[in-house]
Amino acid sequence: MLEHFSYFITVFLMMAGLFIVIARGNLIKKLIGLSIFQTSVYLLYIAPGKLVGGTAPILATQFSTYSNPLPHVLILTAIVVGVATLALGLAIAVRIREAYGTIEEDEILTLDHTVEVAEAQSAEARGGS
Amino acid sequence: MKYDLVLRVVAKLLIPFILLFALYVQFHGDFGPGGGFQAGTIFGAGIIFYGLIFGVDTARSVLPDWVVESMLAAGVLLFAGVGIAGLLLGGNYLDYFVLDKNAVIGQHRGIFWVEAGVFITVAGVMLKIFYMFALRGRPED
Amino acid sequence: MIIDVLLILMAISVLILMRLRNLFAAVVLLGIYSFLMATVLVALDAVDVAMTEAAVGAGVSTVLLLGALLLCKSSEAKPVHKPWLPLTVAVSTGVLLVYGAWGLPDFSDPQAPIHQHVAPRYLQNEVDVPNVVTAVLASFRGFDTLGETTVVFTAGAGIIALLRRRQRVDKDRKNGA
């Protein structure tokens, strides 16, 4: 049980992120959930690479056991890519807010639906005349 | 926030050290924790901190838009250019050992320039994102 | 163990974050969560990653989220739907993942496959750079890093395309006309 504790916390964080992404309608809250999900992936990669009694993978003569450097490399790049894509998502949210006046998913869908209905009606009216 | 004395004084004290630390992380990255990604984000965060305290326009006069925008592309081009230099010197793409007669020194040279490329792009992207969000909030004139 | 305590703190902060409806508080809590994550990463020997996470997760992304919040002027609306369906999806996926996690190697098991495959070769220090993370990042996995840098560049270009204002072009056009 205790040997797998970090995995269980990772799964919990992942599912919390997934829940926020699905359940919340606010686009910024969705992005927060997405970044929690992403952070849990960092944990999923880094935790198995740790060796108790080992040290950070910076070679020195007085140490012989090192934690695995490969996950560190993968996640290091993933963090920076993560913030860049988060910013891209936020930029899209800002543009949506400017276009629709709201960033609540339900309100956006309602607005889209209203526009569609209005367009269909005007097309019908044109077809009738 | 613009006239908060404590923040301004603390920021003035801290920012030179943040930027110096970013350069330390960049150039000492072979021997201690560090490298292009870390240094780029720290450098970007330092300038963003400056922009938050003293206003975006002050930060933009330190690093103007055209500099930041060319940093975006310059870093990737530098990285790709190291690969092409390897090709021209007779190795495969992104082979570093051909960059010098001594293979290990060639590796060090390749790693240095590659990390420099990563630093430039990452710092540029962080700053550009911040400028973009900060300037979007202004009414159009 | 300090890692477990920090992990529990992270779980608590996420639990609070799930229930929060105030977006400003949620963003600040996300910053705290990122700092906890950076601390966990130090405890897990990933110093390079921790440095980046502290600068990016707690610093830059908090600033960006606050900036976006200011631009959107939004507080979260009351939910229209009951959260039962997403909760079922999340919990059932979580149960599956926990079931799968039982089969993973124990924490810090030196015989785990991750420590057997390529890591020993990386740790032999072929390129004479003491920081193995830098060596692997720039030399062994150079193509990977080139790709990641390109992704970062593309994201930056995308943000410029989305948020740039075209006022100067309009002014020129007016002057020309």
Side-chain angles (χ1 to χ4, degrees), chain A residues 20 24 29, chain C residues 13-30 76:
Chain A
I20 295 175
R24 295 307 184 83
K29 194 65 182 269
Chain C
S13 65
V14 167
L15 263 182
I16 302 171
L17 215 159
M18 277 163 76
R19 299 176 54 82
L20 271 179
R21 207 154 286 286
N22 182 341
L23 283 174
F24 179 76
V27 170
V28 173
L29 203 61
L30 192 70
E76 206 175 346

CSV table of all heavy atoms in Angstrom, one decimal, chain A residues 20 24 29, chain C residues 13-30 76:
chain,number,residue,atom,x,y,z
A,20,ILE,N,-12.7,18.5,-13.0
A,20,ILE,CA,-12.9,19.9,-13.2
A,20,ILE,C,-13.1,20.2,-14.7
A,20,ILE,O,-14.0,21.0,-15.1
A,20,ILE,CB,-11.7,20.7,-12.7
A,20,ILE,CG1,-11.6,20.5,-11.2
A,20,ILE,CG2,-11.8,22.2,-13.0
A,20,ILE,CD1,-10.4,21.2,-10.5
A,24,ARG,N,-17.0,21.6,-14.9
A,24,ARG,CA,-17.1,23.0,-14.8
A,24,ARG,C,-17.3,23.7,-16.2
A,24,ARG,O,-16.7,23.3,-17.2
A,24,ARG,CB,-15.9,23.6,-14.1
A,24,ARG,CG,-15.8,23.2,-12.7
A,24,ARG,CD,-17.1,23.4,-12.0
A,24,ARG,NE,-16.9,23.1,-10.6
A,24,ARG,CZ,-16.4,23.9,-9.6
A,24,ARG,NH1,-15.9,25.1,-10.0
A,24,ARG,NH2,-16.4,23.5,-8.4
A,29,LYS,N,-11.7,28.0,-15.6
A,29,LYS,CA,-11.7,26.9,-14.6
A,29,LYS,C,-11.3,25.6,-15.3
A,29,LYS,O,-10.5,24.8,-14.8
A,29,LYS,CB,-13.0,26.8,-13.9
A,29,LYS,CG,-13.1,25.9,-12.7
A,29,LYS,CD,-12.2,26.5,-11.6
A,29,LYS,CE,-12.2,25.7,-10.4
A,29,LYS,NZ,-13.2,26.0,-9.4
C,13,SER,N,-5.1,20.6,-1.3
C,13,SER,CA,-5.3,21.9,-2.0
C,13,SER,C,-6.1,21.7,-3.3
C,13,SER,O,-6.9,22.5,-3.6
C,13,SER,CB,-3.9,22.5,-2.3
C,13,SER,OG,-3.2,21.7,-3.2
C,14,VAL,N,-6.0,20.5,-3.9
C,14,VAL,CA,-6.8,20.3,-5.1
C,14,VAL,C,-8.3,20.1,-4.7
C,14,VAL,O,-9.2,20.5,-5.4
C,14,VAL,CB,-6.3,19.1,-5.9
C,14,VAL,CG1,-7.2,18.6,-6.9
C,14,VAL,CG2,-5.0,19.5,-6.5
C,15,LEU,N,-8.5,19.4,-3.5
C,15,LEU,CA,-9.9,19.2,-3.1
C,15,LEU,C,-10.6,20.5,-2.9
C,15,LEU,O,-11.7,20.8,-3.3
C,15,LEU,CB,-9.9,18.4,-1.8
C,15,LEU,CG,-10.1,16.9,-1.8
C,15,LEU,CD1,-10.2,16.3,-0.4
C,15,LEU,CD2,-11.5,16.7,-2.5
C,16,ILE,N,-9.8,21.5,-2.2
C,16,ILE,CA,-10.4,22.8,-2.0
C,16,ILE,C,-10.7,23.5,-3.3
C,16,ILE,O,-11.7,24.1,-3.6
C,16,ILE,CB,-9.5,23.7,-1.1
C,16,ILE,CG1,-9.3,23.0,0.2
C,16,ILE,CG2,-10.1,25.0,-0.9
C,16,ILE,CD1,-8.2,23.6,1.1
C,17,LEU,N,-9.7,23.3,-4.2
C,17,LEU,CA,-9.8,24.0,-5.6
C,17,LEU,C,-11.0,23.5,-6.3
C,17,LEU,O,-11.7,24.3,-7.0
C,17,LEU,CB,-8.5,23.6,-6.3
C,17,LEU,CG,-7.9,24.7,-7.3
C,17,LEU,CD1,-6.5,24.4,-7.5
C,17,LEU,CD2,-8.7,24.8,-8.5
C,18,MET,N,-11.3,22.2,-6.2
C,18,MET,CA,-12.5,21.7,-6.9
C,18,MET,C,-13.8,22.3,-6.4
C,18,MET,O,-14.7,22.5,-7.2
C,18,MET,CB,-12.6,20.2,-6.7
C,18,MET,CG,-11.7,19.4,-7.6
C,18,MET,SD,-11.5,17.7,-7.0
C,18,MET,CE,-13.1,17.0,-7.4
C,19,ARG,N,-13.8,22.7,-5.1
C,19,ARG,CA,-15.1,23.2,-4.6
C,19,ARG,C,-15.2,24.7,-4.7
C,19,ARG,O,-16.2,25.3,-4.6
C,19,ARG,CB,-15.2,22.9,-3.1
C,19,ARG,CG,-15.2,21.4,-2.8
C,19,ARG,CD,-15.2,21.1,-1.3
C,19,ARG,NE,-16.3,21.8,-0.7
C,19,ARG,CZ,-17.5,21.4,-0.6
C,19,ARG,NH1,-17.9,20.2,-1.2
C,19,ARG,NH2,-18.5,22.1,0.0
C,20,LEU,N,-14.0,25.4,-5.0
C,20,LEU,CA,-14.0,26.9,-5.1
C,20,LEU,C,-14.8,27.4,-6.3
C,20,LEU,O,-14.7,26.8,-7.3
C,20,LEU,CB,-12.6,27.4,-5.2
C,20,LEU,CG,-11.9,27.7,-3.9
C,20,LEU,CD1,-10.5,28.1,-4.3
C,20,LEU,CD2,-12.6,28.7,-3.1
C,21,ARG,N,-15.5,28.4,-6.0
C,21,ARG,CA,-16.2,29.1,-7.2
C,21,ARG,C,-15.6,30.4,-7.5
C,21,ARG,O,-15.9,31.0,-8.6
C,21,ARG,CB,-17.7,29.2,-6.8
C,21,ARG,CG,-18.6,29.2,-8.0
C,21,ARG,CD,-20.0,28.7,-7.7
C,21,ARG,NE,-20.0,27.3,-7.5
C,21,ARG,CZ,-19.9,26.4,-8.4
C,21,ARG,NH1,-19.8,26.8,-9.7
C,21,ARG,NH2,-19.9,25.1,-8.2
C,22,ASN,N,-14.8,30.9,-6.6
C,22,ASN,CA,-14.1,32.2,-6.8
C,22,ASN,C,-12.9,32.0,-7.6
C,22,ASN,O,-11.9,31.3,-7.2
C,22,ASN,CB,-13.8,32.8,-5.4
C,22,ASN,CG,-13.1,34.1,-5.6
C,22,ASN,OD1,-12.6,34.5,-6.6
C,22,ASN,ND2,-13.1,34.9,-4.5
C,23,LEU,N,-12.8,32.5,-8.9
C,23,LEU,CA,-11.7,32.1,-9.7
C,23,LEU,C,-10.4,32.7,-9.3
C,23,LEU,O,-9.4,32.1,-9.4
C,23,LEU,CB,-12.0,32.6,-11.2
C,23,LEU,CG,-13.0,31.8,-11.9
C,23,LEU,CD1,-13.3,32.4,-13.3
C,23,LEU,CD2,-12.5,30.4,-12.2
C,24,PHE,N,-10.4,33.9,-8.7
C,24,PHE,CA,-9.2,34.5,-8.2
C,24,PHE,C,-8.5,33.6,-7.1
C,24,PHE,O,-7.4,33.3,-7.2
C,24,PHE,CB,-9.5,35.9,-7.6
C,24,PHE,CG,-8.3,36.6,-7.1
C,24,PHE,CD1,-7.4,37.2,-7.9
C,24,PHE,CD2,-8.0,36.7,-5.7
C,24,PHE,CE1,-6.2,37.8,-7.4
C,24,PHE,CE2,-6.9,37.3,-5.2
C,24,PHE,CZ,-6.0,37.8,-6.1
C,25,ALA,N,-9.4,33.2,-6.2
C,25,ALA,CA,-8.9,32.3,-5.1
C,25,ALA,C,-8.3,31.0,-5.8
C,25,ALA,O,-7.3,30.4,-5.3
C,25,ALA,CB,-10.0,32.0,-4.1
C,26,ALA,N,-9.0,30.5,-6.8
C,26,ALA,CA,-8.6,29.3,-7.4
C,26,ALA,C,-7.2,29.4,-8.1
C,26,ALA,O,-6.4,28.5,-8.0
C,26,ALA,CB,-9.6,28.8,-8.5
C,27,VAL,N,-7.0,30.6,-8.7
C,27,VAL,CA,-5.7,30.8,-9.3
C,27,VAL,C,-4.6,30.9,-8.3
C,27,VAL,O,-3.5,30.3,-8.5
C,27,VAL,CB,-5.7,32.1,-10.2
C,27,VAL,CG1,-4.4,32.5,-10.7
C,27,VAL,CG2,-6.7,31.9,-11.4
C,28,VAL,N,-4.9,31.6,-7.2
C,28,VAL,CA,-3.8,31.7,-6.1
C,28,VAL,C,-3.6,30.3,-5.5
C,28,VAL,O,-2.4,30.0,-5.3
C,28,VAL,CB,-4.3,32.7,-5.0
C,28,VAL,CG1,-3.3,32.7,-3.9
C,28,VAL,CG2,-4.4,34.1,-5.6
C,29,LEU,N,-4.6,29.5,-5.4
C,29,LEU,CA,-4.4,28.2,-4.8
C,29,LEU,C,-3.6,27.3,-5.8
C,29,LEU,O,-2.8,26.5,-5.4
C,29,LEU,CB,-5.8,27.6,-4.5
C,29,LEU,CG,-5.8,26.4,-3.5
C,29,LEU,CD1,-5.3,26.9,-2.2
C,29,LEU,CD2,-7.2,25.9,-3.4
C,30,LEU,N,-3.8,27.6,-7.1
C,30,LEU,CA,-3.0,26.8,-8.1
C,30,LEU,C,-1.6,27.2,-8.0
C,30,LEU,O,-0.7,26.3,-8.1
C,30,LEU,CB,-3.5,27.1,-9.5
C,30,LEU,CG,-3.0,26.2,-10.6
C,30,LEU,CD1,-3.6,24.8,-10.5
C,30,LEU,CD2,-3.3,26.8,-12.0
C,76,GLU,N,-17.3,32.6,-11.7
C,76,GLU,CA,-17.9,31.4,-12.2
C,76,GLU,C,-19.4,31.4,-11.9
C,76,GLU,O,-19.8,31.8,-10.8
C,76,GLU,CB,-17.2,30.2,-11.6
C,76,GLU,CG,-17.3,29.0,-12.5
C,76,GLU,CD,-16.5,27.9,-11.9
C,76,GLU,OE1,-15.7,28.1,-10.9
C,76,GLU,OE2,-16.8,26.7,-12.3
